[in-house]
Amino acid sequence: MLWPDWGVRVPGLPPAGWIPAGRVAPTQLLVLTLALRQSHTARLAQLADGVSDPGSLLYGKFLSLEQLRELVRPSPVTLAAVHEWLQGAGVTDCRSVATLDFLECVITAERLLPGARFHRYVSGPSSVVRSPTPYAVPAKLAEHLDFVGGLHRFPSAPGAQSQQGGFHLGVTPSVLRKRYNLTKEDIGALSNNSQACAQFLEQYFHQADLAEFMQLFGRSFGHRSCVDRVVGQQGQGRAGLEASLDVEYIMSAGANISTWVFSNPGRHETQEPFLAWLLLLSNMSALPWVHSVSYGDDEDSLSGAYLQRVNAEFQKAAVRGLTVLFASGDEGAGCRKSPGGAHAFRPSFPASSPYVTTVGGTAFKNPFLVSLEVTDYISGGGFSNVFPRPDYQAAAVKKFLQSAPKLPPSSYYNSSGRAYPDLAALSDNYWVVSNRIPLPWVSGTSASTPVVAGIVALINDRRLQRGLPALGFLNPVLYKLQEKGPTAALFDVTQGCHLSCLDAVVEGQGFCAGPSWDPVTGWGTPNYPQLLQALLAA
């Protein structure tokens, strides 16, 4: 039975930048990830909603990893069927995760998965092995597997960019702390609170860069100059701009809070770094409460099975009380062209998942003053074509669609889909230290996301001091807070539009910011002391 939709990425031509470099031997050993069908997925979704909703009796009553395993572990029938299949193909080198719903196996893929034909692709110094063709599995396994990872999906390029733009004094920790009203006393105090960011595809941070960054830019507030824990392989090569940015700014906003880095370099040519990170979350009983991830892919380039299963992984994070924040992307509304030639906007995933908090980007209206913010034109945002609009944002999105003075043609977006981003922060013209060199003009929502993550981690610190649970999945409380009426907890961003398709209809313009929520900057940017008070009362 052929399953052309089971590959993580829809089979076909590789994305731009990846060049074919020849067929690999059919007997070559590959590392692939098997996503086993989970149990009680409806109950998982109910619990994710309940523990995250301040109006629910379940609010804040998070599950342990052991309790989560008992909920989602595959049925004995599924475990036996997959084991029998692998054993029959001579596959013995497999590792499971604590929740038993993933297997990572070293296999001869073309023997196990007829139809797959593996080729090597290169992009600069990186190389991957992927199959441009769909694969087959026995029909009796259809009800036991969600997808096989490591066959079709190509890694995404890092999002942060260093740009030689117009003169700008630049965003530093002191600028952010002034804009978002963080004082020198607003730093972490607890040893049992932590935050994390993830780095992918040979992106590494250097401890020496972090120490130099804090020496240059962190003198006005208490801070840590060292990452406390690296989970995974931390390479010794040159530091990556993306990784440096993430670490330096989550540790500036979430100052003096213990910080972890999940390092997923994807060194094996069939390894998918993002999936490797998800497996780590399913395998560790103790995790930081807040996770910042600057990663994304075009929603339409991924299979439906993969999208739904990864969404379930975010539900698993929610029931454990984790706050997972994703960058909204740097392509505005995006753009794709249908086979018939019509243009439409192109949403990004995981930004479009209803179980993550998605962070857009802003810029100062006057680059020389710490003052009013406007839309950063690159800020990713829009509406999912896969996930329906969740209940927590129904009223906010309906209000935007009814009150926006000008909307793109309805054929360009799915107005009933999950809308994003949820909130935003400055994303333009940051200073970063990478490879011991201070670099200006670094921009992207991969800058705004760790800033918001650090602020959420600070609020967790205060909640934990009061004996309250961590915030967990943030969106239900965030939308409920804002929908009660005007609040000073977030600075509303009401000016500017983001980019989209360069055609005669929309002429490069996507959505525009407006009062309250909008699909460019969400609810706006954080006003820390007011947001803290509001979320302490949640």
Side-chain angles (χ1 to χ4, degrees):
M1 175 177 286
L2 274 180
W3 292 96
D5 191 47
W6 272 27
V8 174
R9 174 177 289 275
V10 178
L13 295 174
W18 289 98
I19 301 170
R23 176 86 181 272
V24 300
T27 56
Q28 179 167 327
L29 294 177
L30 308 172
V31 179
L32 299 182
T33 301
L34 310 181
L36 280 64
R37 187 67 51 85
Q38 297 163 321
S39 299
H40 308 119
T41 53
R43 178 59 178 159
L44 174 64
Q46 291 173 350
L47 284 173
D49 294 341
V51 300
S52 309
D53 182 356
S56 168
L57 294 176
L58 294 176
Y59 182 59
K61 297 178 180 179
F62 306 129
L63 302 189
S64 67
L65 180 62
E66 292 73 22
Q67 291 170 319
L68 178 61
R69 178 179 64 225
E70 293 310 306
L71 177 67
V72 303
R73 63 185 299 169
S75 70
V77 174
T78 290
L79 293 172
V82 174
H83 176 73
E84 180 183 355
W85 174 54
L86 294 172
Q87 192 175 49
V91 177
T92 58
D93 187 0
C94 290
R95 294 182 302 167
S96 184
V97 297
T99 47
L100 303 180
D101 50 356
F102 282 110
L103 283 175
E104 194 171 57
C105 299
V106 179
I107 64 177
T108 305
E110 292 192 13
R111 176 183 173 189
L112 184 71
L113 301 169
R117 297 292 182 267
F118 286 88
H119 295 72
R120 180 170 284 104
Y121 299 85
V122 297
S123 178
S126 301
S127 66
V128 298
V129 171
R130 297 291 186 266
S131 172
T133 58
Y135 60 92
V137 297
K140 63 182 181 181
L141 281 175
E143 61 183 296
H144 302 300
L145 286 176
D146 285 331
F147 66 83
V148 179
L151 282 97
H152 300 137
R153 196 191 158 276
F154 287 78
S156 298
Q161 301 176 8
S162 182
Q163 302 169 345
Q164 299 297 320
F167 177 74
H168 194 293
L169 298 179
V171 173
T172 64
S174 62
V175 169
L176 290 165
R177 294 179 76 85
K178 181 177 181 180
R179 170 56 182 161
Y180 300 137
N181 291 322
L182 291 151
T183 70
K184 63 180 181 180
E185 286 78 29
D186 293 321
I187 60 175
L190 295 181
S191 59
N192 65 336
N193 185 30
S194 55
Q195 58 191 2
C197 54
Q199 56 191 30
F200 303 105
L201 197 63
E202 301 291 353
Q203 280 280 321
Y204 305 111
F205 81 99
H206 286 177
Q207 296 278 16
D209 289 340
L210 175 60
E212 182 174 336
F213 178 86
M214 289 301 185
Q215 180 68 23
L216 289 170
F217 302 117
R219 296 184 180 185
S220 64
F221 55 93
H223 61 264
R224 301 187 183 205
S225 296
C226 186
V227 168
D228 289 314
R229 183 173 178 184
V230 176
V231 181
Q233 298 174 314
Q234 170 69 358
Q236 301 302 313
R238 288 176 58 81
L241 189 62
E242 176 85 50
S244 303
L245 174 68
D246 287 344
V247 171
E248 290 163 11
Y249 279 93
I250 196 173
M251 294 184 69
S252 299
N256 206 43
I257 293 176
S258 177
T259 302
W260 297 19
V261 171
F262 286 81
S263 184
N264 306 276
R267 284 179 172 171
H268 193 286
E269 289 180 314
T270 56
Q271 187 181 38
E272 293 181 22
F274 179 66
L275 277 181
W277 174 71
L278 287 177
L279 266 62
L280 285 171
L281 296 189
S282 288
N283 215 28
M284 300 180 69
S285 57
L287 287 167
W289 290 113
V290 176
H291 296 257
S292 172
V293 190
S294 300
Y295 163 91
D297 215 335
D298 296 326
E299 189 182 72
D300 59 40
S301 72
L302 302 167
S303 73
Y306 175 82
L307 291 165
Q308 296 296 340
R309 176 55 186 269
V310 171
N311 194 53
E313 296 306 304
F314 297 139
Q315 292 172 343
K316 286 165 61 178
V319 300
R320 295 182 67 188
L322 307 184
T323 304
V324 181
L325 301 104
F326 272 88
S328 69
D330 299 341
E331 302 293 333
C335 188
R336 62 184 175 88
K337 195 172 185 178
S338 70
H343 282 150
F345 297 159
R346 195 172 203 178
S348 176
F349 181 83
S352 65
S353 166
Y355 286 94
V356 303
T357 297
T358 304
V359 183
T362 63
F364 284 126
K365 186 173 184 179
N366 185 330
F368 302 102
L369 296 176
V370 180
S371 58
L372 180 71
E373 292 168 76
V374 297
T375 294
D376 187 343
Y377 72 96
I378 66 170
S379 180
F383 297 80
S384 172
N385 289 318
V386 175
F387 300 104
R389 184 189 307 160
D391 290 344
Y392 62 75
Q393 66 170 190
V397 177
K398 181 180 179 181
K399 180 180 178 181
F400 168 79
L401 292 172
Q402 290 177 342
S403 63
K406 181 182 178 182
L407 288 170
S410 60
S411 60
Y412 278 70
Y413 63 100
N414 171 30
S415 63
S416 64
R418 183 323 197 208
Y420 68 96
D422 303 299
L423 70 174
L426 286 162
S427 57
D428 189 43
N429 291 341
Y430 276 59
W431 281 90
V432 177
V433 174
S434 190
N435 298 298
R436 306 301 295 273
I437 301 172
L439 298 170
W441 303 305
V442 177
S443 301
T445 53
S446 51
S448 55
T449 306
V451 170
V452 174
I455 289 174
V456 173
L458 272 182
I459 295 172
N460 270 343
D461 203 86
R462 302 298 185 264
R463 285 178 61 90
L464 294 170
Q465 287 181 45
R466 296 191 178 194
L468 298 170
L471 285 166
F473 174 45
L474 187 59
N475 289 9
V477 66
L478 177 68
Y479 281 79
K480 188 164 289 189
L481 168 69
Q482 293 300 105
E483 288 168 359
K484 289 179 180 178
T487 172
L490 294 161
F491 296 116
D492 197 3
V493 179
T494 61
Q495 298 181 34
C497 308
H498 63 183
L499 56 83
S500 71
C501 301
L502 287 172
D503 61 26
V505 179
V506 295
E507 299 179 328
Q509 181 175 295
F511 297 99
C512 296
S516 298
W517 181 91
D518 58 69
V520 187
T521 60
W523 286 108
T525 62
N527 180 7
Y528 174 73
Q530 297 293 327
L531 184 61
L532 171 65
Q533 291 306 312
L535 293 179
L536 284 175

